[in-house]
């Protein structure tokens, strides 16, 4: 969804105060209990479904934090703030 909104976010940021446009990623402090390594991928590069349901949930939280960092790198130069 963020990729679809990226052009709108960038256009809006061009006329807004610096970092007046923000993307907020919701994660949890519980992500501290993630499986070792954070994300577990299969041979195709997709996140692997783990045996424990809570481990799968924790992978989604790690993924949210990763996306926040990735979009901060991608859009920060446009004056868009990406935060967890």
């Amino acid at each position: 969804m963020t990729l679809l909104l990226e052009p709108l976010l960038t256009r809006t940021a061009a006329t807004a105060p610096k970092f007046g446009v923000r993307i907020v990623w919701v994660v949890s402090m519980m992500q501290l209990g993630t499986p070792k390594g954070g994300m577990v991928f299969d041979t195709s590069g997709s996140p692997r479904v783990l045996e424990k349901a809570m481990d799968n949930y924790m992978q989604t939280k790690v993924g949210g934090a990763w996306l926040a960092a990735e979009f901060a790198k991608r859009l920060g130069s446009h004056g868009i703030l990406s935060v967890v």
Side-chain angles (χ1 to χ4, degrees):
M1 181 138 143
T2 304
L3 287 173
L4 293 173
L5 292 173
E6 188 174 330
L8 178 62
L9 292 166
T10 304
R11 282 195 310 270
T12 303
T15 59
K18 188 170 185 175
F19 301 124
V21 175
R22 298 176 182 106
I23 305 168
V24 178
W25 302 86
V26 180
V27 298
S28 170
M29 286 299 292
M30 287 177 57
Q31 79 184 37
L32 298 173
T34 58
K36 188 174 181 170
M39 295 288 288
V40 180
F41 297 95
D42 64 19
T43 56
S44 72
S46 298
R48 197 173 78 202
V49 176
L50 304 175
E51 290 181 29
K52 295 180 183 175
M54 190 54 114
D55 287 346
N56 290 307
Y57 174 75
M58 291 301 166
Q59 284 198 121
T60 69
K61 302 299 128 190
V62 170
W66 177 82
L67 286 170
E70 183 61 28
F71 276 92
K73 284 184 220 169
R74 243 186 238 194
L75 301 176
S77 63
H78 296 283
I80 299 170
L81 186 64
S82 177
V83 296
V84 176

